[in-house]
Amino acid sequence: MDTHTVLEWSDRYLMPTYRRQPVAFARGRGVRLWDLEGREYLDFVAGIAVTSLGHAHPAWVRAVTEQLNRCVHVSNLYHIPEQARAAKLLVERSGLDRAFFCNSGAEANEAAIKLARKWAKRCKDPDAYEIVVAHNSFHGRTLATVAATGNPRYQKGFEPLPEGFRFVPFNDLDAAEQAVGQRTCAVLMEPVQGEGGVVPAHPDYLQGLERLCRERQVLFMLDEVQTGVGRTGRWFAFQSYGVRPDVVTLAKGLGGGVPVGAVLAREEVACSFEPGDHGSTFGGNPLAATAACAVLETLEAEGLIEHARRMGERLAGNLRQLASRHPAVAEVRGMGLLVAVDLRADAARVVDACRERGLLVNAVRPQTLRLAPPLVVSAEEVDRAVEILGQALDAVAAVPEAR
Ligand SMILES: Cc1ncc(COP(=O)(O)O)c(C=O)c1O
């Protein structure tokens, strides 16, 4: 199929939920993607922080292919060896005690919300169902996770939304102290607000929240759907903050591209779920769990977490150098290989100009780019990406915006 036909069929047969860029990819390898016409791109989107091992990593392909040849799906009516192994790997790396597997970030957060309510009914107060969440957050697109998301853009038109979410400004501990009350069962935060523009929590804030949750007998839950599994240069972002959450949600990078979501919880919390309380037909099936195991084992075997930390520093450093000589770059921030660039220019135009020069990045805000390459990215690829971004900024600056 050629790009023209794909665009035409997408336009005609798909629901118009996405504003897609006019490109379609045929294959990838590492940090490179090739479109249907054979043009090469440096992929600094990674399917929005998903393809953590890059495209077609040999160890991951081998593991998934072997599993495809054994069996893909059996049901959680039975024990699943690959799922048990994935749970063990996650528990050992996170310091939490148990895992539940699902298929996406929204599902992981749904499960965490249900778990918090169930825990409160058992351990705190049957009327404690409220969850404190932040403005500018993003937790997913199901009704409950949209209700928990601190951005009206995602909620408008879908009312009535499930109740029980209380919003506070991010990085404001006093506001959280006032919001957490007798009816609160949990606080749910992203350690770095990803969709909100890559905004890291202040260490004092996250540590203060943990203390507050302990004092008021409330669960401290972190949404690490975007930040988890090596992206920030640690297994989990919470490990950089020196906190220990009661519940962590994961997805995106966990399966390396195969849909896998997970909830991790401390023993006392996890055991609030009893048989029949929650489930998922596909969650943790042999294929998905094998993909997760391959990601976790390969990240470790190839030292990719430390590599992500070093490449993240290089990327942010190069971008700061670019900022010092390019007036269009206002600020660079992030953690590990999750980096934002605030612009004094229209981010959508810069995204187009980058793509035309063979670099994929995306806009998380009207004037903010997000860079989240696969964790296998090399120093040369980081340098080349920043070079292309500089050229794209020059090109956008040279052509005034059409009004
Ligand atoms: C922090 C966070 N939570 C939840 C989600 C939702 O994940 P999914 O799209 O897999 O449902 C996202 C997706 O961007 C996210 O960034």
Side-chain angles (χ1 to χ4, degrees), residues 44 136 192-200 226 231 312 315-320 322-323 328-344 347 361-373 386 389 393:
F44 271 54
N136 197 45
V192 181
Q193 291 190 326
E195 298 306 296
V198 188
V199 185
Q226 191 155 151
R231 171 70 36 203
L315 179 58
N318 284 3
L319 289 166
R320 287 195 179 104
L322 179 65
V329 181
E331 192 189 303
V332 176
R333 64 176 172 276
M335 244 177 132
L337 282 172
L338 184 58
V339 176
V341 185
D342 282 344
L343 300 172
R344 296 187 190 91
V361 293
N362 89 307
V364 268
R365 288 192 208 154
Q367 295 199 315
T368 304
L369 297 178
R370 171 177 47 195
L371 283 73
V386 177
L389 175 59
L393 289 171

Side-chain angles (χ1 to χ4, degrees), residues 87-312:
K88 182 170 184 288
L89 290 171
L90 284 172
V91 162
E92 286 168 356
R93 278 147 193 77
S94 65
L96 280 90
D97 299 312
R98 287 181 187 270
F100 169 83
F101 288 97
C102 52
N103 315 284
S104 68
E107 267 185 82
N109 285 327
E110 282 274 346
I113 291 163
K114 286 176 72 177
L115 182 61
R117 288 186 176 187
K118 192 80 200 302
W119 168 83
K121 298 245 175 326
R122 200 174 57 94
C123 299
K124 189 179 173 183
D125 175 346
D127 291 327
Y129 62 86
E130 247 178 33
I131 299 184
V132 171
V133 287
H135 291 303
N136 197 45
S137 60
F138 185 83
H139 297 295
R141 302 285 200 150
T142 61
L143 275 177
T145 57
V146 151
T149 287
N151 186 336
R153 179 158 79 89
Y154 300 108
Q155 301 173 334
K156 205 161 164 275
F158 302 111
E159 304 84 354
L161 296 174
E163 61 167 324
F165 299 98
R166 190 153 169 182
F167 289 90
V168 291
F170 190 57
N171 273 331
D172 180 342
L173 193 56
D174 290 343
E177 280 182 2
Q178 281 172 29
V180 171
Q182 189 51 38
R183 287 186 167 249
T184 314
C185 63
V187 169
L188 173 63
M189 292 284 158
E190 295 160 87
V192 181
Q193 291 190 326
E195 298 306 296
V198 188
V199 185
H202 298 315
D204 288 354
Y205 180 63
L206 228 51
Q207 290 157 10
L209 275 184
E210 181 186 24
R211 208 175 322 112
L212 177 68
C213 288
R214 304 273 172 263
E215 280 165 16
R216 311 241 174 122
Q217 215 209 339
V218 160
L219 296 184
F220 178 45
M221 308 206 297
L222 293 179
D223 177 343
E224 292 232 26
V225 166
Q226 191 155 151
T227 53
V229 200
R231 171 70 36 203
T232 65
R234 303 289 295 261
W235 279 108
F236 306 97
F238 75 76
Q239 291 163 335
S240 302
Y241 286 91
V243 295
R244 185 174 183 237
D246 299 307
V247 176
V248 173
T249 55
L250 303 171
K252 288 194 179 281
L254 179 55
V258 168
V260 189
V263 184
L264 309 179
R266 284 198 300 118
E267 182 68 31
E268 312 83 278
V269 183
C271 66
S272 305
F273 271 164
E274 293 167 305
D277 273 352
H278 194 58
S280 160
T281 295
F282 294 122
N285 82 9
L287 182 71
T290 295
C293 290
V295 167
L296 295 166
E297 287 171 344
T298 306
L299 287 177
E300 193 143 273
E302 298 188 1
L304 288 172
I305 309 247
E306 172 57 18
H307 177 77
R309 198 184 56 72
R310 280 189 284 109
M311 289 304 109

